[in-house]
Amino acid sequence: MEKYDCLRLDHQLCFPLYACSKEIVRRYKPFLDPLGLTYTQYLVMMVLWEQSEITVRDLGERLYLDSGTLTPVLKKLESRGYLERKRCDSDERCVILSLTEEGNVLKDRALDVPEKMGRCVPLKPEDAAELYRLLYGVLGALQEENDAAQPELGGKS
């Protein structure tokens, strides 16, 4: 092995992950455009369709997104009438997101997106399941590492 082999692009696990992610998001676009959603907005809506109500903090943790990324996305979805934001009565810093009736209607319009995307990704079901397992394994390990690196500042909020 040569000294600089570690710097070869084809030796980097991060590159195919990045390239696949970018390509998959690009392939979502024609299915999400008729709904008026970006991919990130679609992710937010999928969480709300599951839970109908969630705090911004919990949503950010679920989607691995910080508040700086989430805030403009949430404002846009709120302006379209898909969700409502309100402050917690018990803690002003806490913001609760709630799915609106219009957001529920959008759920029906989005119902065929997963099937259409499934046809765009040429994987056998067992390979897709294995990839899913591996990726969530990596995410879990990275999250544990992040959690261990975070000093406790007076407990969790």
Side-chain angles (χ1 to χ4, degrees):
M1 185 165 147
E2 289 189 35
K3 178 179 176 180
Y4 297 108
D5 274 358
C6 65
L7 297 176
R8 290 176 51 102
L9 188 61
D10 59 351
H11 289 180
Q12 308 303 312
L13 178 60
C14 60
F15 178 70
L17 285 170
Y18 162 77
C20 281
S21 175
K22 197 168 70 71
E23 187 61 25
I24 288 194
V25 169
R26 186 182 70 77
R27 290 187 182 215
Y28 264 101
K29 189 169 174 26
F31 308 129
L32 297 179
D33 280 353
L35 303 175
L37 295 176
T38 65
Y39 181 71
T40 307
Q41 292 168 346
Y42 178 63
L43 294 177
V44 168
M45 293 307 298
M46 283 194 293
V47 172
L48 282 169
W49 293 329
E50 284 178 35
Q51 296 185 229
S52 76
E53 192 171 273
I54 190 170
T55 66
V56 171
R57 180 177 183 206
D58 289 345
L59 177 68
E61 287 178 5
R62 177 96 190 267
L63 296 178
Y64 296 86
L65 295 172
D66 60 42
S67 62
T69 302
L70 270 179
T71 299
V73 171
L74 298 174
K75 283 182 178 180
K76 187 70 163 181
L77 291 171
E78 184 178 38
S79 75
R80 292 203 175 134
Y82 297 143
L83 62 83
E84 292 177 342
R85 293 182 301 164
K86 65 179 179 186
R87 299 250 175 228
C88 278
D89 293 335
S90 60
D91 183 354
E92 277 289 310
R93 297 169 298 174
C94 176
V95 177
I96 298 173
L97 305 170
S98 302
L99 188 65
T100 64
E101 186 57 41
E102 191 136 347
N104 254 327
V105 169
L106 184 64
K107 183 178 184 178
D108 285 329
R109 293 181 51 215
L111 206 50
D112 63 347
V113 172
E115 180 188 338
K116 288 177 179 177
M117 272 306 298
R119 291 190 298 249
C120 290
V121 181
L123 281 177
K124 292 183 264 181
E126 60 273 12
D127 291 341
E130 179 67 3
L131 181 58
Y132 182 91
R133 185 190 68 74
L134 289 169
L135 290 173
Y136 268 100
V138 170
L139 278 173
L142 291 172
Q143 190 60 50
E144 284 177 19
E145 188 177 290
N146 284 345
D147 292 347
Q150 296 292 322
E152 284 295 322
L153 301 174
K156 286 194 166 192
S157 55

